[in-house]
Amino acid sequence: MSEATLPSQAKVVIVGGGVMGVSLLYHLALEGWTDVLLIEKGELTSGSTWHAAGQCPSFIADYNMAKIHDHGIQLYPKLEELTGQYVSWHGCGGIRFALKQSEVEWFHRVASVGKLIGFDCEIIDPAKIRQLNPHVNTDGVLAGAWTVNDGHVDPAGITQAMAKGARNLGAKIITHNRVIDINQKKSGDWEIVTERGNIQCNMVVNAAGCYARQVSQMVGTDTPITNMKHTYIVTESVPEFMEQDDEMPVMRDPYPSAYYRQEQKSALIGIYETANSEECWTHRDGWPEWISENELFNPDFDNLLPFIERVMQRIPMWEELSIKRVVCGAIPHTPDGNPCLGPAAGLRNFWHCNGASIGIAAGAGSGKYLAQWMIYGDAEINMAGVDPRRFGQFAPGTYTKAKSHQDYEHMYALHLPGEERPAARKARITPLYDRLLEQGCVYTEANGWERPKWFSPDGRKEEPGFQHNNIFQIIAEECEAVRQRVGLLDLSSFAKYDVTGKDARHLLNRISANRMSPRTGGISLTHYLSESGRISGESTITRLGDEHYYVLSGAVAEDRDFDTLQHGILENEDVQVQNISDDYGVLVLAGPRARDVLEKLTDTDLSNQNFRWLTGKEISVAGFPVRALRVNYVGELGWELHVPMDNLLPVYDALWATGQEFDIANFGTYAVNSMRMEKGYKGWGSELSNEITMVEAGLMRFFADGKQDFTGKDATLKVLNEGVSQQIVYLDVNSKDCDISGGEPVFAEGSLVGITTSGGYGHTTRKSLGFAYVDPEYAPPGTQLSVELLGKQYDALVISDPVWDPQATRSRTDATE
Ligand SMILES: Cc1cc2nc3c(=O)[nH]c(=O)nc-3n(C[C@H](O)[C@H](O)[C@H](O)COP(=O)(O)OP(=O)(O)OC[C@H]3O[C@@H](n4cnc5c(N)ncnc54)[C@H](O)[C@@H]3O)c2cc1C
């Protein structure tokens, strides 16, 4: 129904009435924001939502995505009671098959996540699988992950129920009205131009599903989605189902790359083709026409048939059945398969709620946590993995297409730690790419950048897996080179900004927690906070001059921190922020002989007296201008050399040639992780996230209390006064063959007391190390805890000091060892 009058204004306008937009509307209303209007060009659910198969799996290994899914599984069975609208929830559970040992290990990881979140994931043998589903042939199946609490639901039913719930609370929905254009006004508010008139609002949300790119382009931006074709078939009635009351669980099976289940008394089979996957609307470069509603496509049955045949091998009783219905529809897909939930890069008060490829399962949680972010400035889960700004401006288009196909085709394939996938690589490379490749470099990717992960001395390839593997010793040798001699690393993937102007210092002091150095050349490590004091970013900032600061952030924070800087500028302030990430390359030269190498290539006095730890200077290296910063993430004597990209190769070559005398070695990010764990350095995105404050993260030494007001100051002080409910701990884990990777449960005397954030093996100290957030009573050093890794419990001792060089003398040294 098209509700009569179009209001002339609203606090928030949501564009798109699929499960994602409607869920956001409902959750905003539940939180008290009812002056919200949703506009849909057709009927609600007439995009991707209406034809979805409706499965809601809780089998998710990523803690934050699992929280998003879990909310749906909790909410959907209750929606009818909450809203009065009929919802058909089928709580039949699900079983995922493991065909390889590594998949069984992965199941244990998921089961651990289940313990943290509260969903059941039991690892069962083939006999138990057959007990739960007597029709299935378990040939080749090693184990099943039995998630008893999940199921499937009617997608239109839950969407209509959430719409009713939202309306009951006062939110509004207008259907059959297309948003034609969106303009930002001078005041910062938005004008939404629709077929039936204009609406003024403070915030806009792009929940346009397959049209998300078109809606983004109305405001001069873009969105990294590709619209993939996906097919399921429904058969005629299955005689055996007619005779049974129990519904068979949803089966998820890598062998046919398919899900299959009971749909009333029929069989429903959905295929994720592992090759030749297709996009929709290719004649229009993937763009749907505005008139498209409830649109279906012709599937390529030649491509689907081999997968369907495999399903028939699994359930032979389905072999002779004819097909009653074929549903081939469009799914929006992002490069990493996660939705885009959060602010649009470069814009104020323009939000994304799109890119959901499993949007029925993720719809409720997406709406809940995005609503929290919009209303309170933070969500209660770590949103870094769904923040739309995790993809740079380069991503929409070719890169996203290639990644989306790859992700779609791997829907039922385990992505093992260490596994590199080939699609859309080399999106951003430095002039060193081939030079390092010649030396055995194995690259990994961060925000499109290829960056060295490790160097293969003998052409061997990594055998990816959860346990220590065939390159363990090689990483140990890279660490040894840095700890004993000198190492060189291309870390150009840093996000880099020049912040200049008379008010540059005021800006940086106002938007971040630490004090900018009053001295030219001074370096500050500082954190950006939300109004509620949660950590939203981290930068290393060097004062290059009175009106010139050089700001460095992590690769994936490039767009996000640019917004933080740019949006922090007040009217009439004289500040310019320039993103120079592509203009500068970065070489990390670190190790006790770093000074010996560098001083042969520069006239600058590199002694402690002239060039102290945590200072930076513009110097000449091998005749080229370089911003040299005496800082690093590995805890050794060394410099980060920031070199104009065009000169990166000659500077690298000069360092490499000069370093031969000192037995210089290349190293990669695996070695960096090992060494930063030994130094107890925390990482943004894992230890430092929007869930926590500097108090919980143990970062108060970077909190400049005496400074002028800055964002998040009062909220942080309040937390400091009132106390915290969780606290970071540094753990020494008694494990020989695997390490903490993040998202694992932490126990004290058998009770769940916390969650790990990241970890790794310290090759120099031969310790397995990690970080976790735990109840404060378990945080004192010396507390004996245990962590669950791959289904086993390992003792984990809370330690206080870095296990390597606790006094930090090595990085500050004046001597060559
Ligand atoms: C065959 C198939 C099976 C699937 N099975 C499952 C499953 O089992 N489980 C699961 O979780 N997911 C499944 N999915 C995926 C799921 O359908 C999508 O992830 C989900 O529907 C996306 O919801 P959405 O709200 O983002 O997009 P949509 O439902 O497409 O909603 C977007 C809406 O925006 C409207 N719109 C766009 N532009 C404008 C404009 N300018 N003005 C006004 N309105 C506009 C559109 O008309 C549309 O209604 C399946 C998908 C397919 C194709």
Side-chain angles (χ1 to χ4, degrees):
M1 184 197 77
S2 161
E3 283 175 26
T5 348
L6 184 76
S8 60
Q9 60 185 56
K11 185 175 182 65
V12 182
V13 168
I14 299 171
V15 185
V19 66
M20 296 288 282
V22 173
S23 166
L24 177 64
L25 183 80
Y26 179 53
H27 286 91
L28 285 170
L30 282 176
E31 294 281 355
W33 275 22
T34 52
D35 184 14
V36 182
L37 170 68
L38 183 146
I39 302 178
E40 163 57 48
K41 71 180 178 60
E43 287 291 344
L44 294 182
T45 78
S46 60
S48 285
T49 298
W50 71 279
H51 55 41
Q55 280 100 224
C56 299
S58 46
F59 183 96
I60 307 283
D62 174 82
Y63 174 78
N64 297 296
M65 280 311 296
K67 285 283 280 186
I68 287 177
H69 278 227
D70 188 60
H71 180 59
I73 292 164
Q74 301 301 322
L75 178 71
Y76 298 152
K78 291 190 294 211
L79 258 183
E80 187 172 341
E81 192 187 320
L82 291 170
T83 64
Q85 172 81 28
Y86 173 70
V87 169
S88 72
W89 169 258
H90 293 250
C92 56
I95 304 177
R96 176 137 185 164
F97 287 169
L99 310 180
K100 299 180 198 149
Q101 192 49 40
S102 54
E103 288 167 332
V104 180
E105 289 173 2
W106 182 43
F107 286 5
H108 283 289
R109 262 194 69 81
V110 177
S112 294
V113 171
K115 284 182 192 165
L116 285 162
I117 289 175
F119 68 80
D120 257 8
C121 176
E122 189 187 340
I123 297 161
I124 57 177
D125 62 16
K128 176 85 188 272
I129 295 172
R130 289 191 300 272
Q131 197 185 323
L132 291 164
N133 180 1
H135 312 296
V136 74
N137 166 358
T138 52
D139 285 356
V141 177
L142 298 181
W146 166 229
T147 46
V148 64
N149 307 114
D150 58 34
H152 62 96
V153 73
D154 164 25
I158 49 160
T159 309
Q160 295 294 353
M162 289 190 286
K164 182 153 189 251
R167 284 195 194 100
N168 291 346
L169 292 162
K172 291 193 180 56
I173 296 174
I174 300 278
T175 56
H176 296 287
N177 185 25
R178 179 159 68 85
V179 171
I180 299 166
D181 205 358
I182 304 174
N183 305 308
Q184 191 157 31
K185 303 200 296 187
K186 272 216 173 89
S187 63
D189 284 348
W190 296 92
E191 179 185 58
I192 312 294
V193 181
T194 80
E195 288 171 332
R196 286 168 45 196
N198 296 358
I199 305 134
Q200 319 298 317
C201 62
N202 305 129
M203 290 183 184
V204 194
V205 185
N206 176 353
C210 292
Y211 298 87
R213 291 191 74 184
Q214 280 105 313
V215 170
S216 286
Q217 292 197 356
M218 291 176 188
V219 294
T221 179
D222 207 342
T223 301
I225 64 157
T226 300
N227 296 319
M228 301 296 296
K229 270 189 195 172
H230 175 57
T231 308
Y232 66 80
I233 57 170
V234 181
T235 68
E236 61 181 329
S237 298
V238 181
E240 289 79 352
F241 289 164
M242 305 301 281
E243 290 154 21
Q244 68 185 46
D245 294 332
D246 289 350
E247 185 175 340
M248 96 180 211
V250 180
M251 314 301 286
R252 297 188 174 83
D253 188 351
Y255 175 59
S257 188
Y259 53 84
Y260 39 97
R261 66 168 170 85
Q262 191 173 333
E263 169 72 1
Q264 295 174 349
K265 295 296 177 187
S266 299
L268 183 150
I269 302 167
I271 304 293
Y272 283 98
E273 309 89 290
T274 57
N276 305 318
S277 54
E278 288 187 279
E279 288 167 41
C280 311
W281 302 293
T282 41
H283 62 293
R284 305 185 78 238
D285 198 25
W287 299 68
E289 288 181 66
W290 288 118
I291 50 158
S292 164
E293 255 178 67
N294 299 77
E295 188 169 353
L296 293 178
F297 307 92
N298 289 324
D300 177 353
F301 266 110
D302 287 344
N303 197 26
L304 293 171
L305 213 55
F307 301 98
I308 296 175
E309 280 169 2
R310 286 182 165 208
V311 174
M312 298 307 164
Q313 290 168 23
R314 283 280 189 233
I315 311 232
M317 72 181 187
W318 289 351
E319 257 171 9
E320 301 301 323
L321 298 173
S322 53
I323 295 173
K324 189 168 69 181
R325 191 153 54 99
V326 177
V327 177
C328 176
I331 301 191
H333 217 100
T334 62
D336 60 8
N338 278 1
C340 288
L341 308 173
L347 296 170
R348 286 176 204 258
N349 293 327
F350 190 100
W351 297 80
H352 287 294
C353 181
N354 53 50
S357 51
I358 320 177
I360 310 308
S366 297
K368 171 178 168 167
Y369 296 113
L370 180 58
Q372 290 178 350
W373 195 349
M374 291 171 68
I375 295 172
Y376 305 112
D378 294 300
E380 68 192 49
I381 61 166
N382 182 348
M383 298 293 274
V386 292
D387 188 331
R389 298 165 299 179
R390 68 193 184 276
F391 303 113
Q393 309 289 318
F394 67 90
T398 323
Y399 175 91
T400 298
K401 278 174 193 275
K403 291 277 192 207
S404 299
H405 279 270
Q406 178 175 267
D407 194 67
Y408 178 95
E409 291 173 3
H410 285 78
M411 199 64 140
Y412 283 103
L414 162 61
H415 195 162
L416 279 167
E419 180 193 339
E420 293 297 324
R421 290 187 174 164
R425 297 302 295 260
K426 295 170 72 170
R428 300 170 93 183
I429 58 171
T430 76
L432 296 187
Y433 184 84
D434 288 330
R435 179 73 88 249
L436 299 182
L437 208 57
E438 285 159 17
Q439 302 187 60
C441 183
V442 178
Y443 284 98
T444 190
E445 189 193 340
N447 199 8
W449 286 102
E450 293 294 330
R451 63 181 188 193
K453 191 162 71 164
W454 63 286
F455 286 77
S456 177
D458 50 11
R460 88 177 66 175
K461 296 199 173 0
E462 179 177 6
E463 290 161 11
F466 294 104
Q467 321 251 1
H468 296 167
N469 62 11
N470 64 326
I471 64 164
F472 184 76
Q473 192 49 38
I474 293 169
I475 309 308
E477 284 160 21
E478 288 184 13
C479 294
E480 188 184 315
V482 178
R483 294 279 193 235
Q484 304 291 329
R485 309 187 311 271
V486 55
L488 193 53
L489 165 67
D490 177 3
L491 212 52
S492 302
S493 56
F494 275 125
K496 314 165 200 90
Y497 321 91
D498 268 340
V499 179
T500 53
K502 233 172 39 271
D503 298 309
R505 182 161 175 235
H506 294 304
L507 166 74
L508 295 170
N509 271 327
R510 190 175 61 240
I511 62 168
S512 79
N514 206 349
R515 184 178 282 108
M516 293 305 106
S517 175
R519 292 174 286 111
T520 292
I523 295 178
S524 315
L525 178 70
T526 193
H527 298 88
Y528 309 113
L529 309 179
S530 67
E531 290 294 349
S532 49
R534 314 276 196 92
I535 298 169
S536 70
E538 181 184 51
S539 286
T540 304
I541 303 184
T542 307
R543 178 174 162 136
L544 291 179
D546 288 353
E547 298 183 6
H548 185 184
Y549 290 81
Y550 183 44
V551 180
L552 297 169
S553 297
V556 288
E558 180 176 344
D559 281 8
R560 180 181 167 124
D561 286 357
F562 183 78
D563 280 354
T564 303
L565 294 163
Q566 187 70 39
H567 292 172
I569 301 171
L570 299 179
E571 214 178 332
N572 301 325
E573 265 190 334
D574 172 21
V575 191
Q576 297 77 45
V577 180
Q578 214 190 334
N579 181 350
I580 54 167
S581 301
D582 293 331
D583 302 340
Y584 273 79
V586 181
L587 295 170
V588 178
L589 181 75
R593 311 311 296 262
R595 184 181 278 124
D596 298 329
V597 176
L598 194 57
E599 69 189 2
K600 286 183 184 269
L601 294 168
T602 183
D603 293 336
T604 304
D605 173 1
L606 300 177
S607 67
N608 266 359
Q609 207 178 2
N610 188 55
F611 209 143
R612 285 195 303 133
W613 172 248
L614 285 185
T615 60
K617 283 180 198 294
E618 297 189 270
I619 68 171
S620 163
V621 176
F624 296 100
V626 165
R627 293 177 178 179
L629 312 184
R630 192 165 162 201
V631 67
N632 61 54
Y633 203 43
V634 296
E636 296 295 330
L637 172 66
W639 282 264
E640 273 179 11
L641 303 171
H642 295 244
V643 187
M645 202 58 103
D646 289 347
N647 303 333
L648 192 68
L649 186 58
V651 171
Y652 172 87
D653 283 344
L655 289 161
W656 185 251
T658 309
Q660 293 310 307
E661 186 186 339
F662 305 98
D663 209 2
I664 194 167
N666 290 303
F667 67 108
T669 51
Y670 274 159
V672 171
N673 189 51
S674 168
M675 292 185 277
R676 74 107 188 171
M677 284 312 307
E678 291 181 321
K679 286 297 298 170
Y681 292 151
K682 294 151 195 164
W684 178 78
S686 48
E687 285 72 46
L688 315 181
S689 79
N690 62 272
E691 298 151 284
I692 50 155
T693 66
M694 293 181 75
V695 186
E696 289 141 339
L699 289 178
M700 291 307 280
R701 69 182 185 285
F702 301 109
F703 184 84
D705 195 2
K707 193 174 76 160
Q708 65 181 76
D709 278 352
F710 55 87
T711 313
K713 180 179 176 185
D714 293 345
T716 309
L717 290 172
K718 189 161 179 272
V719 174
L720 189 65
N721 288 335
E722 290 177 359
V724 293
S725 59
Q726 55 178 338
Q727 209 173 313
I728 198 158
V729 290
Y730 182 42
L731 297 171
D732 179 351
V733 185
N734 184 19
S735 152
K736 297 273 172 285
D737 46 14
C738 61
D739 305 302
I740 285 176
S741 62
E744 293 107 346
V746 181
F747 298 94
E749 290 160 1
S751 304
L752 181 68
V753 297
I755 176 171
T756 64
T757 49
S758 76
Y761 187 79
H763 284 279
T764 317
T765 53
R766 301 201 176 152
K767 284 178 187 295
S768 181
L769 301 161
F771 286 110
Y773 281 96
V774 299
D775 294 348
E777 70 174 291
Y778 301 102
T783 306
Q784 189 63 59
L785 302 170
S786 68
V787 292
E788 186 171 290
L789 307 178
L790 305 175
K792 287 193 205 134
Q793 302 277 330
Y794 293 88
D795 288 344
L797 184 68
V798 178
I799 52 177
S800 54
D801 294 329
V803 293
W804 178 251
D805 189 24
Q807 303 306 318
T809 50
R810 295 175 69 87
S811 49
R812 291 170 169 76
T813 185
D814 210 7
T816 295
E817 293 184 0

